[in-house]
Amino acid sequence: MSTHADSALAHHFESFEQQRTAASLGMWLFLAQELMFFGGLFTCYLIYRSLNSLDFAIASSELDITLGGINTAVLITSSLTMALGVKAAQLAKKNQLIGYLLATILLACCFLVIKYFEYAAKFEHHTVPGQHFEFHVPPDLIEKFELGPERLVQMEKRAEIFFSVYFAMTGLHGLHVLIGIGIAIWLLFPASRGKFNMDYHAPVENFGLYWHFVDLVWIFLFPLLYLLGRNIHA
Amino acid sequence: MSAHTDTYDPKVNYLNTDWSIKSWLLTLDHKRIAWLYLVSISGFFVLGGIFALLIRLELLTPQGDLLSPDGYNRVFTQHGVLMIFLFLIPSIPAVLGNFLVPLMCGAIDVAFPRLNLASWYIYTIGGILIVIALITGGVDTGWTFYTPLSSTYANSQVMFVALGVFIAGFSSILTGLNFLVTIHTMRAPGLTWGRLPLFLWGTYATSLINVLGTPVVAITIGLVGAERTLGLGIFDPALGGDPVLFQHLFWFYSHPAVYIMILPAFGVISELISAFSRKRVFGYSFIAASSVGIAVLGFIVWAHHLFTTGMSVYAATVFSALTMLIAVPTAVKMINWTTTMYQGAVKWDTPMLYAVGFLGLFLIGGLTGVMLATLGIDIHVHDTYFVVAHFHYVMVGGAIMGFLGGLHFWWPKMTGRLYPESFSKVSAVLIFVGFNATFFPQFILGYMGMPRRYHAYPEEFQVLNIFSTAGASILGVGYLLPLVYFTWSIVAGKKAPENPWGAMGLEWRIPSPPPTENFVKEPVITDAYDYEHEILKEQIEEIARDEAAAVPSTA
Ligand SMILES: [Cu+2]
């Protein structure tokens, strides 16, 4: 048995194999934890959606589908660059890894910038929950669904629930993107020192898993928040 | 394991290798982290106990004369928050679990030692926030933070407490994750799942709940926070939000949280009863499977906390039936433990006193749980002292008895010292008697209709309340004694041998206290409950000795 004084194998592990299994199982458990964390929010969404489906559909049609769509494409692309980055780390291709990490960071920032413009528009239109919240049902829909004045007042309140759920879900997701950017930047340092190879690449691989998870959450958020009930104007 | 060197010095162990403050606060050794937790949870236990004392003093008389109504609300809230989130939930997993999981696995440490230390810091930050709230005025929502009381009407200290609970929650998620990975990947060769000590099975089941349940309460409390600070209105009835949804989400975690407190205690009790009955634990696989079974079932019974809140009668019936189902794996355990003792060579050392006390108290706690699962009875006694007595029988009679039993059992291993057996026996008896005197009258009070969470009550309830308060003072003395003699034993206790109880677990075959690297030689895994074999060996040796002694006299 050798000493691993300056090797990447921590002293309490027997082998790289054991260390890798532990890191990977740990990451999957962490993602399970994340799933339950978001799961609470998705439950809120599903319950309110099923109780107020028309109200949610009308409020949801206010969201900017173009920006949302572009963001979906941006995030999926970043997942691709990250997957390629993991491959590069395994093959110990230092420069490729740095490139892919930078691309992922860039796309993630791009996502947040677009999100910023979406949020800003909501502040302008007063559809941010709180004291200044205002929501007006478009006239054509009032006519189409024959909404009486009482129902209209109710609907404007329900819209605030929709936007509460919207901000909670996209906000928490955005926070995860932000944390992801932080981790990716932090990974650049060991990557530039060429630390990763076939034996030791768990940090990159685990961050990849995290990043795919963040992407996957958005893949659910986009249709649930932006697309469901879009046909309401038709 | 490269660290097993030939230069092993038996005088150096994990405690005396370095005494500097830095070596403790930055330690990555799971055994030292167990100590960090033990010191912090003891502090919170004392603090929570002081609040319990205030509650019992207030209830000595029917009038509210010691505390104002608001003050009383704050006191019982702080008692609940401190005891549940900062003491009970981390108690066995974070202290005994941290110390024992690697030892029982035959490993040098947990899978992620840095994360382990970080968990303690996270826990400490959560604890500090909660204490800040307490100092600056306290919170009166109860430990359950029901909306809209917590989101709209409560004072702003509720945000500190909520944030503290949120943060401390991540400590238990990360500890659970660490244990799951450790048990999966760090077991020594030969330690198959079927040979895993039952304490590890209990820890495993607990960790599952920690990882899968805690995030739900975290996001729920996070949403209450977002409602207060950002004006989001997810539980706000004014917008059509549903406060009852909060209760569902809260109990989705907080019912399983009861099992976070009790499953590790089950694990401890399995070890104690086998060791002190000198007998193989009866129905090993049933005890192991029932732990995991309880963890899984525990996730689908939460709505029994909402029978009076408003729920369809069909849902209520289903949740009532599911809740009763939990009694099955629990009864499997009780029966297996008593059967283990049956025809065993039972030794009444202190840990065994706690284990047997646990059996009695948990039996009452469990059976009244079945009563409460029954819709008719639950609606009658909901929010009365009957419920208070029930969950104290489970959490104090169950979890704390298990914790203290385990602490007495493994104390010689943790410290290398023996505690005074006479004192510890007295305290075990005091705790058992004091506990029953405190909480049994509360069953009767609740059944008579005394509601919980009021600082005053009708005069006809006073006699039983005096009983309860008197019992609480006995209980208090019972809890103070271990604090004193444990501390004393560290300084002046007799040196403990490697295996003072003659127990079979892996942790008893290394020095007390263990060296930093845990195992001096590569650990050899054997059956952790092979007492029959051991006893047989002793008997054969004894016969051989007798025969040898008999030879000269005949000659
Ligand atoms: Cu429950």
Side-chain angles (χ1 to χ4, degrees):
Chain A
M1 290 191 216
S2 60
T3 46
H4 333 280
D6 45 18
S7 115
L9 181 62
H11 86 289
H12 59 294
F13 288 115
E14 294 270 351
S15 62
F16 277 111
E17 170 69 24
Q18 189 187 32
Q19 175 168 297
R20 213 165 30 234
T21 328
S24 150
L25 180 65
M27 194 61 206
W28 280 105
L29 283 170
F30 181 75
L31 292 184
Q33 178 280 133
E34 287 279 46
L35 200 67
M36 296 306 285
F37 195 61
F38 276 97
L41 264 179
F42 276 96
T43 308
C44 292
Y45 170 87
L46 288 174
I47 286 170
Y48 288 136
R49 172 110 212 170
S50 62
L51 290 176
N52 317 292
S53 67
L54 181 63
D55 314 53
F56 264 47
I58 290 176
S60 137
S61 63
E62 290 291 301
L63 296 184
D64 193 324
I65 196 167
T66 323
L67 290 182
I70 294 173
N71 251 352
T72 310
V74 167
L75 216 51
I76 291 179
T77 316
S78 79
S79 241
L80 173 70
T81 54
M82 193 56 225
L84 292 169
V86 173
K87 181 94 190 153
Q90 285 167 342
L91 298 177
K93 292 192 171 150
K94 184 177 126 186
N95 291 336
Q96 267 191 28
L97 171 61
I98 293 171
Y100 284 128
L101 277 176
L102 283 173
T104 310
I105 293 168
L106 197 72
L107 287 163
C109 291
C110 191
F111 176 90
L112 285 183
V113 169
I114 295 177
K115 203 78 220 153
Y116 165 79
F117 283 112
E118 273 195 81
Y119 276 11
K122 292 193 176 50
F123 275 95
E124 255 167 53
H125 298 128
H126 296 285
T127 49
V128 179
Q131 277 179 345
H132 305 290
F133 184 82
E134 260 174 51
F135 182 78
H136 302 291
V137 181
D140 58 316
L141 292 178
I142 299 180
E143 219 167 286
K144 183 172 172 191
F145 294 102
E146 293 164 3
L147 302 170
E150 256 177 52
R151 181 76 179 90
L152 264 180
V153 173
Q154 190 197 32
M155 194 168 270
E156 278 155 20
K157 289 206 166 136
R158 295 294 192 268
E160 194 166 350
I161 291 270
F162 173 81
F163 282 102
S164 291
V165 174
Y166 167 84
F167 276 104
M169 292 179 111
T170 55
L172 189 66
H173 177 261
L175 188 66
H176 276 77
V177 175
L178 200 64
I179 292 171
I181 294 175
I183 300 173
I185 292 175
W186 173 71
L187 277 177
L188 281 173
F189 294 99
S192 63
R193 272 182 277 120
K195 275 270 258 187
F196 300 115
N197 54 45
M198 199 59 228
D199 274 334
Y200 180 71
H201 54 263
V204 183
E205 188 175 329
N206 284 342
F207 173 67
L209 285 175
Y210 171 85
W211 194 249
H212 297 321
F213 173 82
V214 172
D215 187 22
L216 205 61
V217 169
W218 181 258
I219 304 271
F220 279 91
L221 286 182
F222 180 60
L224 286 181
L225 293 171
Y226 290 73
L227 300 182
L228 272 188
R230 267 282 154 178
N231 54 354
I232 204 150
H233 287 277
Chain B
M1 298 193 188
S2 53
H4 298 156
T5 50
D6 305 321
T7 56
Y8 168 66
D9 176 0
K11 282 199 207 71
V12 178
N13 57 56
Y14 81 101
L15 288 171
N16 66 14
T17 168
D18 187 351
W19 273 111
S20 66
I21 299 281
K22 191 177 147 222
S23 79
W24 278 92
L25 290 180
L26 295 179
T27 182
L28 297 180
D29 184 347
H30 65 103
K31 303 182 286 304
R32 285 187 162 215
I33 293 174
W35 276 99
L36 295 180
Y37 275 110
L38 180 60
V39 171
S40 2
I41 69 161
S42 304
F44 289 121
F45 178 72
V46 170
L47 209 54
I50 291 171
F51 285 107
L53 189 75
L54 284 173
I55 295 174
R56 281 323 314 168
L57 278 179
E58 168 62 69
L59 295 178
L60 201 53
T61 56
Q63 315 80 23
D65 31 25
L66 180 67
L67 299 162
S68 65
D70 279 343
Y72 184 76
N73 289 349
R74 275 167 211 188
V75 165
F76 76 67
T77 301
Q78 288 298 344
H79 169 66
V81 169
L82 288 169
M83 287 302 202
I84 290 177
F85 294 111
L86 298 181
F87 173 70
L88 279 168
I89 287 179
S91 62
I92 300 180
V95 177
L96 297 176
N98 255 320
F99 192 81
L100 292 167
V101 168
L103 292 186
M104 287 183 165
C105 282
I108 301 180
D109 209 318
V110 292
F112 309 117
R114 274 199 203 87
L115 190 68
N116 200 17
L117 179 65
S119 304
W120 179 73
Y121 277 101
I122 294 172
Y123 164 82
T124 306
I125 293 170
I128 288 172
L129 281 170
I130 291 172
V131 171
I132 287 179
L134 176 122
I135 293 168
T136 56
V139 177
D140 60 358
T141 59
W143 75 277
T144 51
F145 309 111
Y146 273 13
T147 52
L149 175 58
S150 62
S151 55
T152 312
Y153 302 105
N155 58 6
S156 38
Q157 274 83 355
V158 77
M159 279 315 297
F160 283 101
V161 179
L163 195 63
V165 169
F166 181 89
I167 291 173
F170 279 94
S171 155
S172 58
I173 292 174
L174 295 174
T175 303
L177 186 149
N178 224 332
F179 288 168
L180 286 176
V181 176
T182 306
I183 296 175
H184 266 281
T185 63
M186 309 278 289
R187 280 171 293 132
L191 186 57
T192 55
W193 287 95
R195 279 176 151 187
L196 217 56
L198 288 165
F199 178 77
L200 288 189
W201 275 109
T203 310
Y204 187 87
T206 311
S207 304
L208 277 181
I209 305 175
N210 270 332
V211 171
L212 297 177
T214 318
V216 177
V217 83
I219 188 71
T220 311
I221 289 177
L223 286 174
V224 171
E227 193 157 331
R228 284 192 75 107
T229 52
L230 307 174
L232 299 192
I234 291 179
F235 303 122
D236 186 352
L239 309 172
D242 193 347
V244 177
L245 179 61
F246 171 86
Q247 298 185 21
H248 279 285
L249 290 172
F250 179 82
W251 287 111
F252 181 82
Y253 161 76
S254 294
H255 181 80
V258 176
Y259 301 123
I260 295 181
M261 304 173 215
I262 201 71
L263 279 171
F266 286 168
V268 169
I269 297 300
S270 304
E271 300 293 333
L272 298 190
I273 288 193
S274 178
F276 290 98
S277 304
R278 314 273 319 141
K279 205 165 148 243
R280 168 180 299 282
V281 67
F282 183 82
Y284 167 89
S285 46
F286 283 88
I287 298 186
S290 60
S291 285
V292 181
I294 290 172
V296 173
L297 272 180
F299 274 108
I300 49 174
V301 301
W302 75 90
H304 61 221
H305 293 270
L306 290 88
F307 285 155
T308 59
T309 309
M311 184 183 348
S312 92
V313 66
Y314 305 108
T317 313
V318 169
F319 277 111
S320 166
L322 286 171
T323 304
M324 288 183 195
L325 219 56
I326 297 251
V328 176
T330 317
V332 164
K333 281 181 188 292
M334 295 293 285
I335 290 166
N336 279 312
W337 290 326
T338 38
T339 316
T340 305
M341 287 170 68
Y342 177 66
Q343 291 198 336
V346 178
K347 290 198 295 178
W348 297 104
D349 292 304
T350 312
M352 189 59 170
L353 292 184
Y354 279 104
V356 174
F358 170 96
L359 291 184
L361 299 182
F362 189 75
L363 184 69
I364 299 176
L367 286 178
T368 49
V370 180
M371 284 173 77
L372 286 169
T374 318
L375 289 172
I377 297 179
D378 183 68
I379 285 163
H380 178 63
V381 297
H382 183 83
D383 258 348
T384 67
Y385 265 86
F386 192 88
V387 178
V388 175
H390 156 70
F391 68 70
H392 279 89
Y393 263 83
V394 173
M395 292 181 195
V396 185
I400 300 189
M401 292 298 267
F403 175 60
L404 285 176
L407 204 57
H408 282 87
F409 185 52
W410 282 291
W411 187 258
K413 185 56 64 185
M414 292 175 76
T415 59
R417 301 284 181 158
L418 296 171
Y419 49 82
E421 188 69 19
S422 49
F423 276 105
S424 61
K425 279 190 172 143
V426 169
S427 92
V429 172
L430 281 181
I431 288 175
F432 184 79
V433 172
F435 177 83
N436 279 300
T438 311
F439 292 102
F440 204 84
Q442 297 187 6
F443 276 125
I444 307 169
L445 282 169
Y447 205 77
M448 283 158 64
M450 180 174 164
R452 60 193 282 206
R453 296 185 163 176
Y454 284 90
H455 75 307
Y457 54 85
E459 274 180 19
E460 65 258 35
F461 294 143
Q462 191 178 10
V463 175
L464 285 171
N465 269 301
I466 291 176
F467 256 104
S468 183
T469 302
S473 41
I474 300 175
L475 189 58
V477 174
Y479 284 143
L480 274 180
L481 271 177
L483 217 58
V484 176
Y485 64 72
F486 272 152
T487 317
W488 175 85
S489 79
I490 296 178
V491 187
K494 263 199 294 187
K495 284 240 180 339
E498 194 174 286
N499 187 358
W501 316 112
M504 299 288 294
L506 200 52
E507 75 275 21
W508 298 110
R509 275 180 276 144
I510 53 173
S512 306
T516 304
E517 299 287 343
N518 291 350
F519 297 94
V520 186
K521 296 189 292 277
E522 199 82 36
V524 180
I525 305 295
T526 49
D527 192 332
Y529 302 105
D530 197 11
Y531 289 101
E532 279 90 346
H533 193 240
E534 185 78 353
I535 288 172
L536 197 67
K537 217 167 69 193
E538 280 168 18
Q539 283 170 345
I540 292 171
E541 277 166 16
E542 204 174 313
I543 292 168
R545 262 201 312 277
D546 287 351
E547 278 175 356
V551 170
S553 67
T554 51

